[in-house]
Amino acid sequence: MPTAKNRLLHCAPSFRYLAPDLEVLEAQFTANENVLYAKRNVIKKMQLGAQSVVVKSFKPPGLFRAFIYTNLQKSKALRSYENALRLSELGILTPEPIAVIEYTRRYRLAESYYITRHYPHEYTMESVIHKIAASDRSIECPVQNQSVSILEAFVQFTFNMHQANVLHCDHNPNNTLVGEKDGVFEFAIIDLNRMRFKQLSLVQRLNEFVRLSDDPFVLSKISTTYAQCLGLQPNDCHEILMRLMRRRGRIRRAKQLFKKITGR
């Protein structure tokens, strides 16, 4: 366990009262078994005092990256925190950021944690898109109709995000949480460390959707809805989105071939 002198805390002003709880967060995180995700990074739901929180522990970087993140570039955890603060200023929903904790050893990043308030949600866009893709569209179904309505609202949400010059850069369906407030569905985005803030071209906007689905109906609904948001003809967006999907397919096949050849 790193010593206290190697510990760096960034805490939102409204949550500074949690500082004593944050002091022991690492030990609590290790002991906590409420795991939400555990692959490259580990995400757990926890309690900090009376506050229900979600803590993301980033995978420790390699030696070179560890040096970069300490001396030349902000860590993924810190970028997530700062991007969340900026989204809040723009009125774009994301789980409320509480703090970032970073540990360094010998001028290299060793561990990093990003802490947010828990955002109550029904599901992610993954389950919405799965219901649409798996449904029999020849039969009228209230569940399918609701899922299509949620997808259309999600595309409108993404359009509004783009209008604010926000590019998520990892807009896959598991990175959007779907909640409901006063009978209206709302969306909160997570996994913010790759995010960019800049003027966006139409190609950059539509490229955000290529990770969502391969289903033709879903892609058609996305391109049609986005075209409506921009006041364009549906084909204007659909042709670009299909071209981007084909490019992504070629890249994926090339990566698979490389792995097969190299045995990785």
Side-chain angles (χ1 to χ4, degrees), residues 215-247:
D215 182 76
F217 178 82
V218 171
L219 294 172
S220 176
K221 183 60 67 175
I222 288 171
S223 58
T224 299
T225 305
Y226 203 89
Q228 291 172 346
C229 292
L230 283 168
L232 300 174
Q233 293 298 316
N235 281 344
D236 294 339
C237 289
H238 191 69
E239 290 177 2
I240 295 173
L241 182 56
M242 291 301 98
R243 187 171 72 244
L244 293 169
M245 292 295 296
R246 289 192 293 270
R247 183 182 71 178

Side-chain angles (χ1 to χ4, degrees), residues 74-93:
K74 294 175 181 177
S75 70
K76 292 181 179 181
L78 184 56
R79 292 202 304 269
S80 298
Y81 173 77
E82 292 183 347
N83 288 343
L85 292 175
R86 189 162 179 180
L87 289 177
S88 298
E89 293 173 356
L90 293 170
I92 298 170
L93 192 58

Side-chain angles (χ1 to χ4, degrees), residues 65 81 114 136 238:
R65 277 286 173 190
Y81 173 77
Y114 174 47
D136 183 353
H238 191 69

Side-chain angles (χ1 to χ4, degrees), residues 5-19:
K5 67 178 181 180
N6 300 118
R7 182 178 185 270
L8 181 62
L9 170 67
H10 304 265
C11 187
S14 57
F15 290 103
R16 283 176 184 158
Y17 69 92
L18 289 175

Side-chain angles (χ1 to χ4, degrees), residues 17 38 40 42-43 76 92 115 117 147 163 168 177 207:
Y17 69 92
R40 182 174 65 251
V42 179
I43 303 174
K76 292 181 179 181
I92 298 170
I115 305 101
R117 286 185 65 181
S147 296
Q163 289 296 93
H168 190 284
L177 311 178
N207 195 53

Side-chain angles (χ1 to χ4, degrees), residues 18 20-22 24-25 28-29 32-34 44-55 98 115-118:
L18 289 175
D21 298 291
L22 291 169
V24 295
L25 177 134
Q28 292 182 357
F29 183 87
N32 186 282
E33 297 182 353
N34 192 357
K44 297 182 179 182
K45 184 180 177 183
M46 300 173 52
Q47 285 293 130
L48 282 184
Q51 193 69 248
S52 179
V53 304
V54 172
V55 181
I98 292 176
I115 305 101
T116 70
R117 286 185 65 181
H118 175 251

Side-chain angles (χ1 to χ4, degrees), residues 3 22 36 39 89 112 121 150-151 172 175 200 220 230 234-236 251 253 257 263:
T3 59
L22 291 169
L36 304 179
K39 290 185 179 179
E89 293 173 356
S112 58
H121 58 281
I150 295 172
L151 176 61
N172 74 64
N175 283 342
L200 305 175
S220 176
L230 283 168
N235 281 344
D236 294 339
I251 293 172
R253 288 191 295 272
L257 179 61

